[in-house]
Amino acid sequence: MKQNPWSYIPTLYLAEGFPYIVINTVSVILYGALGYSNEQITLWTGWLYLPWVLKMFWSPVVDARFTKRRWLLGAQMTMSVVLLAISLLICVNALWHAPQLANPSFFTFSLIGFLIGAFVSATLDIATDGYYLLALTPQEQGYFVGIRTIFYRIAMILGSGLLISVTGYLAQHQVPVPYNWAVFFGGLAAFFGFCALYHTSVLPRPAADKPAQVRQTTAWKEAFGSYFTQQNIIYILLFILLYRFGEALLEKMVPLFLLKPAAEGALGMSMQEYGLIKGTLGLGAIIAGNLLGGWLLGKFGFKKCIWPFAVALVLPNVFYVYLATARPGLIVVAMLLTLENLGYGLAMMALTVFIMYVSQGKYKTSHYAISTGIMALGMMAPSMLSGKMQAVLGYQQFFSVAFVISLVTFLIVPLSFKIKAIQQAENASRK
């Protein structure tokens, strides 16, 4: 009897979404709360994108060795161990170094822990996305593309929203800093342990889920060769690298701007305010954007949607110029962040569909990993520079420059119309 995908697709993508947001965003919030500088935080946490950049190089190994099911179960259990180790490290740091929490040794060892978690998370991405393509029929893949994106986004918003709010509440009422963060990471470790056990029992074993019948070196050569020799590869690379360029500058700086003290030019929001806005209004807006984006893409196609979706991605970047200048009340901040999340939900659906369109053939799992690795490279370098830029320019000028730079998205959108894989997919969808 075929297992209903509803019993495992939502939980698979919850488990895939949490590590990315925890490693790349929650780590920033943690270090900010412990007193490290913006420049130090953005520079070194920018390196945490590296595993997502490099995962294209070991994705053929995932194709050639073991099953995708085995890879993802192993990655989930390993992630549980890594998060538990970070939780214990926070406790040890608090016992040995309190009240001076921003010490170099903790930063170094915790960053190593996050980096290991990033490699595990990148492997989990490869295995989960590959399993999705093998376990579901093409019709089911089309139906669940929006569902999987929604649950991935739910995990990201919960991780940087409601759970952050709870962590802030614990610090004020029950659990002092930084033990509240130990509770945060310990709870996520328990979640991943549960996921590994649950998925062991419910995940089907599709007949297509087996190692590629080639040597690893052959798999690597064929996967990369078939990807980088496809038509219009330069346009594909430019689109994936630059579509989110403005967001790359803002991703790590926005949480610091919202949470750092007002005396430093930031907004000085509490963790509860930040978490509730991100975890309630933000959650609803991103889900609405994903649902609406998926419906619009299905009805009108990629070419008709990409321009308005690009506007929805870029225009909200100017909100931060206003926030840094006018410093409005919480209601206005919440409204603008909600609109930003709505636009982000729309825009990311377009990028997801784009990557799926250009990930085809025998090594579609590797092609998908290569595409997302290139996307991570486009996020890595700008995020590493953002702290230095902000230190030199201040928040207001930094956000102004970031908005101008984000306009590059409009320059690369026309390239997508020339890509043969997009044209073929659009023609097939109309038949």
Side-chain angles (χ1 to χ4, degrees):
M1 181 176 177
K2 180 176 169 59
Q3 190 79 13
N4 189 333
W6 275 104
S7 67
Y8 58 89
I9 292 299
T11 50
L12 279 179
Y13 281 89
L14 274 176
E16 185 181 351
F18 269 118
Y20 183 88
I21 199 67
V22 167
I23 291 166
N24 288 301
T25 299
V26 175
S27 64
V28 172
I29 299 173
L30 167 66
Y31 291 137
L34 297 183
Y36 297 94
S37 69
N38 288 0
E39 187 173 352
Q40 182 182 14
I41 293 169
T42 57
L43 174 62
W44 290 105
T45 61
W47 284 103
L48 297 176
Y49 285 115
L50 186 62
W52 282 277
V53 177
L54 297 180
K55 73 177 183 179
M56 68 179 77
F57 296 106
W58 76 84
S59 61
V61 178
V62 177
D63 269 335
R65 291 181 62 87
F66 312 120
T67 64
K68 306 300 185 299
R69 183 180 186 275
R70 185 172 175 181
W71 276 106
L72 72 88
L73 291 174
Q76 287 177 359
M77 185 56 70
T78 306
M79 183 59 65
S80 177
V81 174
V82 170
L83 291 170
L84 180 60
I86 292 174
S87 176
L88 294 175
L89 182 62
I90 292 171
C91 291
V92 171
N93 176 65
L95 290 172
W96 285 3
H97 297 284
Q100 182 61 39
L101 299 175
N103 67 86
S105 61
F106 172 76
F107 190 87
T108 299
F109 286 113
S110 61
L111 193 70
I112 291 172
F114 284 123
L115 186 61
I116 294 171
F119 277 103
V120 176
S121 178
T123 304
L124 179 61
D125 289 352
I126 298 169
T128 302
D129 292 334
Y131 184 84
Y132 175 89
L133 295 172
L134 296 171
L136 275 62
T137 66
Q139 291 77 17
E140 289 173 331
Q141 291 175 29
Y143 176 80
F144 278 96
V145 65
I147 304 301
R148 77 173 201 169
T149 302
I150 286 171
F151 278 91
Y152 185 90
R153 299 300 171 199
I154 287 175
M156 295 181 74
I157 296 300
L158 288 175
S160 64
L162 288 180
L163 294 182
I164 293 296
S165 182
V166 171
T167 303
Y169 175 85
L170 291 176
Q172 290 192 354
H173 294 85
Q174 300 176 39
V175 182
V177 179
Y179 296 104
N180 59 329
W181 287 103
V183 172
F184 176 95
F185 288 101
L188 281 179
F191 168 77
F192 273 94
F194 166 79
C195 282
L197 294 175
Y198 173 73
H199 290 140
T200 298
S201 65
V202 303
L203 288 184
R205 301 174 185 269
D209 185 17
K210 55 187 177 181
Q213 299 301 309
V214 292
R215 293 182 303 162
Q216 290 180 27
T217 53
T218 303
W220 188 90
K221 182 178 179 180
E222 289 184 356
F224 274 78
S226 59
Y227 184 88
F228 286 101
T229 57
Q230 64 181 301
Q231 287 187 318
N232 310 117
I233 185 58
I234 299 299
Y235 295 161
I236 292 172
L237 295 177
L238 287 173
F239 188 90
I240 295 174
L241 279 170
L242 300 178
Y243 182 71
R244 300 172 65 191
F245 198 78
E247 181 198 350
L249 283 170
L250 298 178
E251 185 176 52
K252 293 186 182 297
M253 190 53 58
V254 165
L256 296 171
F257 168 66
L258 296 176
L259 289 166
K260 286 273 187 168
E264 298 179 14
L267 290 189
M269 292 172 59
S270 69
M271 286 180 61
Q272 293 96 311
E273 292 169 341
Y274 174 91
L276 287 174
I277 290 173
K278 283 283 189 180
T280 53
L281 297 177
L283 170 61
I286 283 191
I287 291 177
N290 286 156
L291 289 172
L292 180 60
W295 180 80
L296 290 172
L297 285 163
K299 184 174 180 62
F300 299 106
F302 178 87
K303 289 186 177 181
K304 291 183 179 179
C305 291
I306 185 60
W307 272 116
F309 285 11
V311 172
L313 177 66
V314 172
L315 184 60
N317 292 342
V318 80
F319 294 168
Y320 291 103
V321 180
Y322 170 74
L323 292 177
T325 304
R327 308 176 63 80
L330 190 62
I331 293 178
V332 175
V333 174
M335 290 174 58
L336 294 181
L337 292 181
T338 300
L339 287 174
E340 180 200 23
N341 283 319
L342 178 64
Y344 179 81
L346 286 168
M348 285 307 298
M349 284 301 297
L351 184 57
T352 299
V353 169
F354 179 91
I355 290 176
M356 291 179 67
Y357 282 169
V358 299
S359 303
Q360 300 297 328
K362 178 181 179 181
Y363 292 97
K364 62 175 64 176
T365 300
S366 296
H367 285 191
Y368 198 94
I370 292 169
S371 294
T372 54
I374 294 166
M375 181 177 66
L377 179 62
M379 298 292 290
M380 180 177 171
S383 70
M384 294 175 70
L385 296 174
S386 61
K388 182 66 174 180
M389 289 174 60
Q390 185 274 323
V392 173
L393 299 173
Y395 284 111
Q396 183 179 345
Q397 292 301 319
F398 166 76
F399 287 127
S400 298
V401 171
F403 172 68
V404 173
I405 292 175
S406 70
L407 298 177
V408 71
T409 298
F410 297 142
L411 298 178
I412 56 92
V413 164
L415 300 181
S416 65
F417 301 150
K418 303 178 181 180
I419 297 172
K420 187 174 181 180
I422 302 298
Q423 296 171 350
Q424 291 174 337
E426 291 287 282
N427 292 334
S429 66
R430 287 195 291 267
K431 292 181 179 179

